[in-house]
Each structure stands twice: as C-alpha cells, then as structure tokens.
Amino acid sequence: MPNEIISITDQRTNQTYNLPIETGTIRAMDLRQVKTGPEDFGLMTYDPAFMNTASCRSGITFIDGERGILEYRGYPIEVLAERCTFLEVAYLLLFGELPNQAELDNWVNEITHHTMVHETTKRFMEGFRHDAHPMALLVSTVAALATVYPEARDVHNPKNRLLQIKRLIGKMPSIAAMSYRHSLGYPYIYPDNDLSYTANFMNMLWRMVEPKYVANDVLARALDILFILHADHEQNCSTNTMRSVGSSHADPYLATAAAAAALSGPLHGGANEEVLRMLDAIGSTENVPAYIKQVKDGHGKLMGVGHRVYKNYDPRAKIIKWAADRVFEVTGRNPKIEIALELERIALEDEYFIKRKLYPNVDFYSGIIYEAMGFNPAMFTVLFAIPRTVGWLAQWQEMITDPEQKIARPRQVYTGQRTREFVPLQKRGLVAATKT
Ligand SMILES: CC(C)(COP(=O)(O)OP(=O)(O)OC[C@H]1O[C@@H](n2cnc3c(N)ncnc32)[C@H](O)[C@@H]1OP(=O)(O)O)[C@@H](O)C(=O)NCCC(=O)NCCS
C-alpha cells in the first residue's frame, strides 16, 4: 500500500486531489480525474522524449547517474566485467541469477549450436549492394529471420520465446560478421563451435585461408568485456523501441530489427563513430586547448562527453580505458588515445565541464579500441548491437510477462485544425496547391 500522498489543487475549480506516490512516482492515469467539468477529457502529462516518465517497472538494470553506478540484476558492472564472460552475463540478464557451472556449460553449448544461419539467409544477404552500410544489412537480415522461423509469432509460449532468444543471441555475431565480409566482398565464414562466443566472432570476421582460426586471447577477452559493458542500459532509445514494438506482440525478430534500427542513429549507437571523427579533426595534442576553447565558445561539442543520465564518470568508460591499454599491448598504441587522454585531462579540470557535470561516457574510448583492433567506423554500431540484443531480449521478456503492460500507445496534444468544411477538387484554389 502506498504510504505517501501528494495533494494537487486545481486552481481552475479549486478542487483538491490526493494522489498516491509509489516508488517516487505518481500514476499519470491518476491525473485523468482532474477535470473542469463532465465534458472535460481530464488532465494528461506532456513529456516529449520521456524526460521524466517511467514507462515500466524493471528489475534488470540499475543506474544511479549522479554517483556513476551501473548494476545488472544488482551486480556492479565493474565486478561482472572483471569476473564473468559475456554469455555468463547474458544468462544473468535474462534469468536474473548467475549460472552455476552446469547451467553455464549448458547455456554456452546451446548458444554455440544456434550460431549457424539458414542457407536462405546467406543467399538473401548476397542480394545486397556491396557498399551497403553494415548496420542496414544487419537490421534487414534480422528482420528476415522472421521468415525462417514463423513459429516465433507465438510470443506467449515461454518455451518458444526462449528458443528464439537463444537463436538471436547465437546468430547476431554470425550476421554481423557476414555484414562486414559482404562489404569487403569476402566469402562468408561458417561458425567454429570449438571457439568461445567472441573468438568465434573474430573467426567469422577475419579468417582467410588458414584451416583453423586462432584468436588472440587478449583481444577476444577485450571484446568480451566490451560486450559485457554494452549488454544493457535500462530504458534507452532502442530498448524503448524493443518494448514498444514488442508490446503489439510482434515477433521478436521484427522487434529486434526495430530496436537495432533505433540504435543505428548517431544520437544513440553511432556516437563512438563521431568521437573518431572529432579526434581526426583535432589531429594532435597541441591542438586540444584550442579545440576545447572552441567548444566552450559554443562551436560544437566534445563528442563522447556528457550523458543524459550520468552526471559523474560513466563507469563503463573507466573499464574501457583500462581495456584499451591491454589491447594496445597487442595491436600497438592507437595514436588517437593521446589526444583523447589530453582532452579528458583538460576537460576534467575545466570549470565549464565541472559546472555542467560533463564526464567521458562509454563512447569516448570504445571507438579507439575498435579501430586498433582493425574495425572500420561503419562497423562500430554493429559491434554495439550484438551484445545489446541480450538486453533487448531480457527487457522484451520482462515486458511480455508483466501483467501491467499493454500495447504502448502514447497520447498527443493535437495542434491541427478541426472539423473543416470539405472543398470539392474543382473548387480548390491556388493557395492549397502552393502549400504542398
Ligand atoms: C549526451 C548528451 C546528448 C546529453 O544531453 P542532455 O542531457 O540533453 O544535456 P544538455 O544538452 O542539456 O547539456 C547540458 C549543458 O552541457 C553542455 N554540454 C553537454 N554535452 C556537452 C559536450 N559534449 N560538450 C560540450 N558541452 C556539452 C550543453 O551545451 C549544456 O550547456 P548549457 O547549460 O550552457 O546550455 C550530450 O551531453 C551530448 O551531446 N554529448 C556528446 C555526444 C555523445 O557523446 N553522445 C553519446 C552519449 S552515450
């Protein structure tokens, strides 16, 4: 039972309403009783971009942006990144608990045996232009999986849902690698079930004529850590899309394709690509102070800095910075890291950034690592989509089984014209024509 109440007095009617407060929220539907008369529809909230609206209850990911805390199912991200593999974390996100050894072995085995894509999918991908963006290939191909698994439409059957979840987690790296090789004109590589999730991904990306691909352990582990860090981030734009499309009970392949489409935008998954462009534009560490001055004067932004939720150092950025050093021991130092470190050093000491609580976010260092590993910027968002698929699916499953959820359907504040007199075609004047 709620034990806190907020009283709202409507100055239009002088009537007071007592609304219960639960877990720091009031229910928007409770405002509907606030009316000026029987004809009044009732009060609504107006919240473009969901700046202050909780759309669900979720037990998956916790963020405290003020303190820079990120936890999956109650475990700090730092501990998971240090102690777990990506598939272990995937299990945690989906089922709520860390697996024991037998559960983990079984889980890894099942995901590994879902990495192969149907031959029709391969042929489907061959039809794309060679210069198509890998993210567009990924979105289209994930949607096309719905044609291969029509039974996925039965979203209310828990066993069936789980099967599609395993298929999607298994096939995402395969499709991502095929998107990459397609853009280079290389033949596709079949998965190797002897390898770990990330080592197999590297195999499908980079194997050429050697009979067996041997992944570098440090790089495979770095990729695994990056996957853990990107696996979920509560109600972000793409996760909200997953829940919204899924709320109509669309099948999970189509909902995942929609979520990936949302991720593809530069304001979401594409930001790390922008960081690399910025570092290229700066060119060298001597130019950093001038660049910062330019940003402070209102010309452009420091890309990879600032966050809607984090008003402290993004905990993922700290781990990525650590992982970058491990990767550079293998690949050689990406010279852009020096520019990034100098940018961070100056920004963290500067009044402008301190006052606005602007700290490096997850994208600040991730692109530099990916580039050092040999990925071109067009692949960065695809690399994000692979692990985020786990978060999307965990959130989708939570939404489908939540009795409070219904089809997502926001309201609007209508600003157009009303009940106009119809003008027959012959009588429509020039004004209407020139408007179009
Ligand atoms: C992430 C981001 C969109 C968050 O935006 P937001 O929560 O709406 O914050 P605001 O845009 O209101 O920013 C608040 C203030 O900080 C400034 N600011 C925010 N990010 C900044 C940045 N990267 N560089 C310089 N100034 C920045 C804004 O200009 C604003 O200043 P003002 O108060 O003088 O007007 C924003 O910080 C940004 O564009 N960062 C760079 C892009 C990026 O790295 N995106 C990836 C996010 S994971």
Side-chain angles (χ1 to χ4, degrees), residues 267-268 271 295 300-308 311 316 352-353 356 358 361-363:
L267 294 185
H268 190 4
V295 168
K301 279 187 170 172
L302 263 196
M303 297 314 290
V305 170
H307 197 275
R308 173 64 59 76
K311 300 302 167 199
R316 300 167 301 173
Y352 175 96
F353 296 90
R356 291 169 178 78
L358 299 171
N361 60 48
V362 70
D363 297 309

Side-chain angles (χ1 to χ4, degrees), residues 416-435:
Q417 303 186 51
R418 287 290 320 279
T419 330
R420 302 171 73 186
E421 197 176 322
F422 181 78
V423 182
L425 184 57
Q426 309 85 305
K427 294 202 175 157
R428 285 174 216 159
L430 201 59
V431 181
T434 50
K435 267 187 185 166

Side-chain angles (χ1 to χ4, degrees), residues 137-307:
L137 293 182
L138 182 92
V139 169
S140 317
T141 309
V142 171
L145 291 181
T147 66
V148 185
Y149 306 110
E151 75 276 14
R153 292 160 66 95
D154 183 8
V155 296
H156 299 296
N157 176 338
K159 252 177 97 178
N160 185 40
R161 272 203 309 268
L162 184 57
L163 175 61
Q164 313 316 324
I165 287 173
K166 288 176 197 162
R167 281 180 173 150
L168 266 162
I169 298 172
K171 289 177 204 326
M172 233 30 208
S174 313
I175 296 171
M178 287 162 80
S179 307
Y180 172 74
R181 291 184 74 100
H182 184 85
S183 62
L184 296 173
Y186 292 167
Y188 304 138
I189 300 293
Y190 285 104
D192 180 342
N193 288 354
D194 295 339
L195 301 176
S196 73
Y197 192 76
T198 43
N200 176 46
F201 178 46
M202 291 161 75
N203 157 63
M204 293 186 289
L205 284 166
W206 292 318
R207 194 176 130 208
M208 296 308 278
V209 291
E210 65 273 37
K212 180 108 184 147
Y213 182 81
V214 182
N216 179 290
D217 286 343
V218 174
L219 298 187
R221 178 63 188 143
L223 209 48
D224 209 58
I225 291 173
L226 283 158
F227 280 5
I228 292 171
L229 302 182
H230 286 89
D232 196 48
H233 213 230
E234 51 120 306
Q235 306 311 313
N236 53 83
C237 177
S238 57
T239 302
N240 183 55
T241 304
M242 182 81 188
R243 280 180 172 263
S244 185
V245 175
S247 77
S248 74
H249 301 162
D251 89 47
Y253 298 102
L254 300 176
T256 302
L263 185 75
S264 72
L267 294 185
H268 190 4
N272 48 15
E273 213 174 314
E274 298 301 322
V275 174
L276 277 206
R277 269 198 209 110
M278 174 186 75
L279 296 176
D280 281 337
I282 296 173
S284 76
T285 47
E286 301 90 75
N287 301 331
V288 168
Y291 191 83
I292 295 222
K293 181 172 181 311
Q294 183 186 312
V295 168
K296 284 164 59 180
D297 290 344
H299 306 298
K301 279 187 170 172
L302 263 196
M303 297 314 290
V305 170
H307 197 275

